[in-house]
Amino acid sequence: MIAFVLYFLTFSFTLFFRRWVNDQQLLNKLENDNLQTELTRLKEQIQPDFLSKMLNEAQLLAKKDADKASALIFKLGSLLRYQLYESVHEKVFLSDEIHFVTDYLELEKMYNERLEYKIQVENEVRYIQIPPLLFMPLIEYAVRESADNEDGAENQIAIGFQAKEEGLLFTCTYHCSDMNTLQHMPQASLPAFGQLQKRLDLLYPGHYLLENQYDHQSSCTTNLKLM
């Protein structure tokens, strides 16, 4: 009788364990599907206004400056290919992302000749892998803020990538059109930051630092450290 009870309990436990494993696998699949859906949705929010603006600019340039229009279309095509084919990957090389950012800023400069920028890369970052288009919300926001800068200062946007032992440091310094208001707003409510923080919480939970620093010259520096 004892042997029979032990056998019955063992058999029941085995069935229960298998059922539990199957349920957990199903839950994980649903969670991963939901996560992937959310990441896709967040990535799709990036750059629709920019792409529309550049297409309109290309149409206008085609009537005035064919060479400049051709260069714009070539760079825009490169950006679109990156978005269509590279951004579907879970990770991309940082060197490819920097090339994408450079092309993006070059296009913005074609649209607004007053825009000045520089990109500085420190240490070996070529083979670091990151999620695609991760920095674009911050860079797009910096471009919009710099467009409101009326003092004509050079290097309105300064972008840095630095490989450190504890991770990757991304910095972006730009003009703040309304620094007093921004300083007193919760960071998550700032334009671009709420969207980016959602994605960082999904991809780097507890392993990132995102902060703003302001100075007396209406300049803002955004630091993003990935650990």
Side-chain angles (χ1 to χ4, degrees), residues 42-137:
L42 289 172
K43 286 193 291 186
E44 287 175 348
Q45 293 177 4
I46 298 172
Q47 294 190 326
D49 294 338
F50 165 77
L51 295 175
S52 176
K53 179 177 69 177
M54 287 302 152
L55 287 173
N56 291 334
E57 181 68 9
Q59 290 179 339
L60 293 174
L61 282 175
K63 301 175 182 178
K64 300 184 297 182
D65 190 334
D67 291 339
K68 192 173 181 179
S70 178
L72 188 152
I73 292 172
F74 178 81
K75 285 188 177 295
L76 184 59
S78 177
L79 260 67
L80 288 172
R81 284 193 298 273
Y82 186 88
Q83 280 199 294
L84 288 173
Y85 301 113
E86 298 300 325
S87 66
V88 298
H89 300 307
E90 183 178 347
K91 295 285 184 70
V92 296
F93 287 117
L94 182 56
S95 57
D96 293 334
E97 193 78 358
I98 293 173
H99 183 73
F100 178 88
V101 168
T102 303
D103 280 349
Y104 166 80
L105 290 171
E106 274 297 304
L107 283 170
E108 284 286 5
K109 187 170 176 60
M110 288 183 183
Y111 182 79
N112 177 14
E113 294 181 352
R114 292 181 59 251
L115 176 66
E116 298 290 341
Y117 73 90
K118 68 176 180 180
I119 298 176
Q120 185 173 356
V121 180
E122 296 184 30
N123 303 327
E124 183 56 70
V125 301
R126 285 181 299 171
Y127 300 114
I128 293 177
Q129 291 189 308
I130 61 166
L133 307 177
L134 186 65
F135 308 111
M136 288 309 299

Side-chain angles (χ1 to χ4, degrees), residues 136-203:
M136 288 309 299
L138 296 177
I139 295 173
E140 286 182 305
Y141 177 66
V143 169
R144 289 196 299 271
E145 287 292 299
S146 296
D148 296 329
N149 183 9
E150 297 180 355
D151 59 15
E154 293 186 356
N155 297 328
Q156 295 174 10
I157 300 176
I159 295 171
F161 298 91
Q162 185 177 5
K164 293 178 170 289
E165 290 184 4
E166 64 273 20
L168 173 67
L169 176 63
F170 166 81
T171 61
C172 184
T173 300
Y174 52 93
H175 168 80
C176 297
S177 58
D178 191 0
M179 187 173 65
N180 291 331
T181 300
L182 294 176
Q183 282 181 299
H184 296 91
M185 290 175 63
Q187 182 168 278
S189 65
L190 294 175
F193 285 84
Q195 172 188 324
L196 177 59
Q197 282 186 312
K198 287 181 181 179
R199 194 175 180 200
L200 290 170
D201 286 339
L202 291 170
L203 296 169

